[in-house]
Amino acid sequence: MANVPDPAHPAGMRQSAAAAPQAPPDSVEALFVGVPEAPAMVETRALRTHARRHGLPEPIRIRIRMDDGFLPMPALDAYDAVVSVPRTTLSADLAE
């Protein structure tokens, strides 16, 4: 999903479908590789332990997905938990 400015929309933007780039190895999303294709909420301390146990990049300055890109920030320090939502659908794409 991507937020696109739209002055005619009450929120000032609308969501549209976007191609999601591959998750880089230093992203929170990469820590969810192998997790079933269902939404999951994980405490960030558990993600740190998982990363260290599986030899993944040290999750100190790990990035987090925002729309169709990644924010370079210490995500595991900034949040208490992270929710993985592997798939989303625009309501406009749902059959009526």
Side-chain angles (χ1 to χ4, degrees), residues 22-33 51 55-59 61-63 70:
Q22 189 73 16
D26 65 341
S27 69
V28 170
E29 188 171 336
L31 296 176
F32 283 91
V33 169
L56 297 169
E58 181 64 24
R61 297 206 53 86
I62 199 158
R63 298 188 268 177
F70 291 85

Side-chain angles (χ1 to χ4, degrees), residues 26-73:
D26 65 341
S27 69
V28 170
E29 188 171 336
L31 296 176
F32 283 91
V33 169
V35 173
E37 290 286 319
M41 184 173 94
V42 179
E43 183 182 10
T44 54
R45 285 182 286 183
L47 286 175
R48 284 182 189 280
T49 301
H50 173 78
R52 290 181 180 131
R53 187 175 297 143
H54 295 283
L56 297 169
E58 181 64 24
I60 292 175
R61 297 206 53 86
I62 199 158
R63 298 188 268 177
I64 193 164
R65 185 182 291 274
M66 182 61 67
D67 295 332
D68 57 349
F70 291 85
L71 293 177
M73 63 177 295

Side-chain angles (χ1 to χ4, degrees), residues 1-23:
M1 301 278 203
N3 288 318
V4 179
D6 183 353
H9 191 279
M13 67 180 143
R14 61 181 165 76
Q15 289 189 328
S16 63
Q22 189 73 16

